[in-house]
Amino acid sequence: MSKVLTKPGLNRLLNRLLNGPTPVLHHPRRSVQTLAYEEIKSSPEKPHEFTAFVLHGLLGSGRNWRSFSRSLASYLSPAQWRMVLVDLRNHGKSAEIEGFLPPHNLENAATDLANLVKSEGWDWPDVVIGHSMGGKVALQFAQSCADGHYGDNVSLPKQLWVLDSVPGKVIRDNSDGEVENVLQTLQSLPSTIPSRKWLVDHMLKLGFSRSLSEWIGSNLKKSEEQVTWAFNLDGAVQMFNSYREMDYWPLLEHTPKGMEISILRAEKSDRWDPDVIRQLEHVASKRVGDAEGKVSVHVLPNAGHWVHVDNPKGLLEIVAPKVASVV
């Protein structure tokens, strides 16, 4: 069945086709370096109408979210969506690109997204979905858009999804202590790893779980005859420190008009202090007028922190219908 566009959707598509900016394609002399990314579309042969950015977590990459993004794009069809799976600075293929200057913090990670939009001549994303550290990058992106840091011709995302990421400062607890232990362990290893098997066995001997050890092992790449990290470890550590320190409660207290921020908490995640949960529920329960956006809270059952792995079907059932409402 052919899709009947609503008037806003039709206007958006016509503007893009008739008046949209000419894409800037990988010019070798551009002064601003942009991120590596891949695209998943509802229908590759058709022009997209809507865009969602998908942001991974610490030490991950966009490819971690391929399966979920394919399922989401399929659910949203026949609306023509494009999922842009970004490799944040110091991660994935972006770690191989020179030009991302320090400090390696959330502000600059979010600015990288804006630079990508501008460099490629894209419309601003309709939806931004971020997991863990990527969730806070999404919050910073929205905050900087609202504050005018990226210029006057910026369209705020209509929806922001923050997946199992505490919006305020992260207090050192057992959960984040594990992250610190992982980072310290990786920093203590040689820059060249003998093999993936050696790394996994080493992590297991140090007391880390098999699933975590296998996941760390998946972040290796072969460079010539050597095995090295697929991320810039020192830069990633700096990003983690920034993630811990940044506080986005003010953004949730006064969400920009026209935007909904959806916080998704995994039922079995150990990252949520009871006081933080109560604060989040209070923010979501506030009545807001037309001058502000809204905050919603969702709980994903039968899932720990790795929401897209532990319960991808449940995650899709929560996220997809709301994203579809953007059309």
Side-chain angles (χ1 to χ4, degrees):
M1 181 181 294
S2 62
K3 174 177 174 57
V4 178
L5 290 175
T6 61
K7 186 174 180 180
L10 180 59
N11 289 340
R12 179 190 294 265
L13 183 57
L14 289 175
N15 287 335
R16 178 175 288 128
L17 294 176
L18 299 178
N19 303 314
T22 302
V24 180
L25 298 177
H26 305 293
H27 196 292
R29 294 186 179 180
R30 65 189 177 203
S31 58
V32 177
Q33 187 59 66
T34 55
L35 299 163
Y37 66 91
E38 64 176 288
E39 297 177 306
I40 293 174
K41 294 184 177 181
S42 300
S43 301
E45 71 282 358
K46 296 180 181 179
H48 65 272
E49 305 164 56
F50 306 95
T51 295
F53 278 8
V54 182
L55 313 179
H56 61 81
L58 182 72
L59 304 184
S61 66
R63 70 180 184 180
N64 300 148
W65 285 84
R66 282 175 183 164
S67 178
F68 177 81
S69 297
R70 290 191 185 106
S71 298
L72 180 58
S74 176
Y75 179 99
L76 297 172
S77 181
Q80 297 304 311
W81 278 82
R82 173 183 62 154
M83 309 291 152
V84 180
L85 280 57
V86 175
D87 285 352
L88 298 174
R89 60 167 55 206
N90 300 304
H91 292 77
K93 292 185 178 179
S94 291
E96 303 171 8
I97 301 174
E98 297 180 358
F100 294 107
L101 301 177
H104 297 296
N105 55 27
L106 298 196
E107 293 97 321
N108 282 336
T111 299
D112 294 338
L113 299 177
N115 290 338
L116 178 62
V117 171
K118 295 176 182 179
S119 179
E120 299 292 354
W122 292 344
D123 287 341
W124 294 86
D126 303 282
V127 175
V128 181
I129 302 169
H131 173 239
S132 195
M133 182 184 71
K136 273 196 162 180
V137 174
L139 289 167
Q140 179 61 53
F141 178 75
Q143 183 69 70
S144 294
C145 284
D147 290 344
H149 293 170
Y150 305 145
D152 297 329
N153 299 318
V154 176
S155 298
L156 287 167
K158 295 179 180 64
Q159 289 184 17
L160 212 69
W161 284 88
V162 182
L163 308 180
D164 210 53
S165 183
V166 177
K169 290 187 177 183
V170 178
I171 300 171
R172 298 190 184 208
D173 58 13
N174 293 334
S175 169
D176 292 293
E178 181 184 41
V179 175
E180 290 177 340
N181 289 339
V182 169
L183 293 176
Q184 290 171 2
T185 298
L186 300 189
Q187 287 177 301
S188 71
L189 297 176
S191 58
T192 301
I193 307 299
S195 68
R196 175 173 176 172
K197 182 180 184 304
W198 179 90
L199 175 63
V200 172
D201 289 344
H202 183 73
M203 298 288 289
L204 289 171
K205 288 177 183 177
L206 293 176
F208 294 103
S209 68
R210 177 163 291 278
S211 60
L212 177 60
S213 301
E214 293 282 1
W215 181 75
I216 293 295
S218 72
N219 285 286
L220 292 172
K221 65 177 181 178
K222 192 166 185 179
S223 178
E224 297 178 351
E225 297 302 316
Q226 298 179 332
V227 178
T228 60
W229 297 116
F231 46 74
N232 178 336
L233 182 56
D234 289 340
V237 170
Q238 293 177 47
M239 293 175 73
F240 174 67
N241 291 333
S242 176
Y243 156 83
R244 254 188 349 198
E245 292 301 319
M246 295 302 291
D247 182 357
Y248 297 102
W249 283 115
L251 178 65
L252 270 62
E253 292 281 359
H254 301 287
T255 302
K257 181 180 179 179
M259 179 191 297
E260 179 174 357
I261 300 177
S262 296
I263 309 291
L264 182 141
R265 176 172 63 86
E267 181 184 38
K268 297 181 180 179
S269 175
D270 59 359
R271 301 177 179 231
W272 297 87
D273 182 272
D275 290 339
V276 173
I277 295 174
R278 282 191 289 270
Q279 185 177 0
L280 195 58
E281 291 173 345
H282 172 72
V283 170
S285 67
K286 286 195 333 180
R287 292 184 178 181
V288 296
D290 295 336
E292 290 188 349
K294 62 179 293 188
V295 174
S296 60
V297 178
H298 309 266
V299 178
L300 178 63
N302 302 316
H305 181 62
W306 306 104
V307 292
H308 56 308
V309 175
D310 293 345
N311 189 359
K313 183 176 181 292
L315 180 62
L316 186 69
E317 289 173 348
I318 292 173
V319 174
K322 288 186 71 69
V323 174
S325 70
V326 168
V327 177

